[in-house]
Amino acid sequence: MVPPMISGNTIIQNGQFTQVNNLSNTSSLSRQALANAAAPNALHNSKERYDAPKCHPNTCVAVLDYIMNWALGQSGETSNRTIMWLRGTAGCGKSTIAQTIAERYLARGFKLAAFFFNRFDSSRNHSKQLIGTLAYQVYTAFPETDVQRLILSAIEDDPLIFERTMRHQFHALIAHPLHVYLSSLHSERPSPPGLLIVIDGLDECVDRTSQQEILEGLSDSEYAKTIPPIQILITSRPEPEITSSFDSMNMKDTHTRLALDSEYQTRADIELYLRDSFKKIKSNHPFRGYLSGSWPDNKLLVSLLNKSSGQFIYAASVVKYVGSIRHRPDHRLEAALHLRPHNGDLPFAQLDSLYTMILQSALDFEKVFQILSFRLIANYPCSTIERILPYNEGEIDILFCDLQAVVEIRRVAFSETRLLHVVHASFEDYLLDPERSKQFHVDIEQERPKHLVSILQYLSSYRPLSNHEGSAIFYNIGNFFPRGIISCELKQAVFSFRMQHFMQYWAPYITVAAFVRSFFSLLERLTLENSSDSYIEKHQLKLFNFSLFQHLERFYADDGLAISLMLILFHLGSHRYIPMLLTRRHPRKLSIYAVYSCPANLVLPRVNGQVPFNDARAEDHILEILYNLNWCEEPSEFRDHLRTFLLDPERRGEYVIGPNTYAKAALGCFKKIRSLGRPEAYVWHYMPPELGEDDYFEEWRFESGHWMVDIPTLYTSSFDRSDDFYFIVLGYLIFFLPQCGRLDALIVECLRSKVSFPAPRDRDGHRFPIRRWHLHREIEAYLARFNSV
């Protein structure tokens, strides 16, 4: 490109003549028009933005260096990109970084123009004064140059220029004057670029159409792909309109992106900021004498870091609140951490104002509220929430497109699953605190039963679309069951629940077991709280039993399933040798979480005539449901009801639990003991006839007529220690054999065991001699009843 020739008041370039006026003769009206077109509050150093937040020393180092290198044309492949888009969620520090970059760039002697949008400032929450403000700063940055002359000339030639399109204004008032001036310096590419434009908070421009117009106007310059005299830094949240514009083909080759995420170690930066800020408070605060030397301790700092979720706005709000000179800092920090205001003042007024503003932008807040309350109870996939509530497919994406600053829709890797992700931990605190969120408050206890009604209606009216949905529905479903008063609406939904439909279409999913257990617990609560509601429990028990009856033939046709069913139903309190397995919510706490006696790896179907050692409950969904129904904190009315139901020959006929079932169970126990790999031993005749009631087992305890053992969690209920398992199975055999009917295979096993029986050894000999002696006596008694040999 041929550099322009300047002669007097005429600029000649590429055969075109541009007439400019001498600066001294330019109308003062044009300068006044330029000043009037600017928004003073939007300047980086405006009085309105006094003490604007800047990056704390030694924080954001990597991201600041990256942006500065790009702005100075020193970043390699991204240097030729005219625009950089710095994107991030609300409060992550975008404006702080933009302010810091502006000040650093100016401090190095380079030219700058900036515009800081603000949704709450009527002079800078729109695009009308954007170009005028930038042009005013360009005018003042290049005194006594043709930049000034060309800007004023453009205004004088077209007094209505500030009513033109964004593209036209940017071209005439900024891009063209700079291009002409910098080209006249006879440099193929200025280094650094002649001007850095910083546009902060583009998402706070309230007219979304204008957001797109701004981006199109800034990128669609005839000079963008030639000599780039301008670099433009734009910061915003990833709002749909903005993202769409940057994704367009028009901007594809003119911009680079930078996301504020964990790559730039925001947690470490926030920790440094908090430590330095608290150190300053301890040194300068009027009430510093009341602060201990260790204040705040690491526990408090970690709590603050976790709540910040990588957002500087949270940390800055805490420091501002705690640093009040009218209050003790330690008291204020405690109030901030517990989100409870002292003397009526709110710890996070700035942050709350931000959240309130974002929620006010929702297209349909009633639906957004339902979805948010659902999400706070359990994080279901978006498609699942849409079907349960019910909404149209993809409606959540539309409803939350304006709320991406605080709630993002993320796709799970390698799948189509969409999940709602709450960006700020403090946003959940805001929603749950009525004093902070006011009309946006989410009362979880009120919302649980409402959502449970929707879930019950969905489960009893539809079929699962996939295995994934079947699993997703029951993930954390227990969170929806109410802790407080059960509403009339929920009672009606429980009574109307179509149990048979549920058992037919949903029961094949193993994860339904937790739902069934919670559902029957709710039925028991209804009856206990109000006996007049007992009809609801009786109604659903009848439906469940009818559904179970359809599976009994299958259970009794298979020895393994029959054994498993009987083991599940007959345990606690059946015999002193049948143990109680106790799990606790925390291993060191005394509160009991669940009580049962049948280890998971004893509830097994038979495979090829053998009882496998590994846990195979998952092979039968009904077995899994019944097993889960026996976890209880106190005696289960349902278990007692079902046991009575199956023991009644008049009601169950040929499927009644009886001697044949016990015989099958005993046979399975013998097989299980032999599968433990213990050596065969001739031990019976070496044992004295009177050894006492039972063995001592050092890892268990005998209390209130029952053996008990604590295990850490439900997930360890499958015993891997063979001595524990051996001890349990011996007890079951002693309990089963007196109730067994004739079974030839069991007779053979008893004859074999009478001669030789597997037994574990310790340094003093074979273990559990008393239990084995009692079993020997039961074997002899059984053979005496049925063996004619």
Side-chain angles (χ1 to χ4, degrees), residues 363-379:
L363 296 174
D364 186 336
F365 181 72
E366 184 177 347
K367 288 186 175 181
V368 166
F369 179 86
Q370 284 188 307
I371 296 166
L372 279 176
S373 61
F374 200 108
R375 165 60 181 82
L376 291 177
I377 296 171
N379 192 13

Side-chain angles (χ1 to χ4, degrees), residues 420-487:
L420 284 170
H421 173 73
V422 178
V423 178
H424 304 208
S426 57
F427 181 58
E428 290 193 13
D429 294 334
Y430 163 85
L431 291 173
L432 296 175
D433 190 331
E435 295 188 47
R436 298 179 65 196
S437 50
K438 296 181 174 60
Q439 74 270 27
F440 299 123
H441 169 56
V442 177
D443 188 331
I444 292 294
E445 295 309 318
Q446 284 190 6
E447 298 306 314
R448 282 188 218 275
K450 295 177 184 178
H451 290 311
L452 182 57
V453 168
S454 298
I455 292 172
L456 292 176
Q457 291 171 345
Y458 181 74
L459 293 178
S460 61
S461 303
Y462 298 93
R463 304 181 185 183
L465 299 179
S466 64
N467 288 336
H468 174 73
E469 187 196 21
S471 298
I473 286 284
F474 302 106
Y475 175 72
N476 282 341
I477 198 168
N479 293 352
F480 290 95
F481 285 84
R483 277 60 163 166
I485 298 174
I486 301 173
S487 65

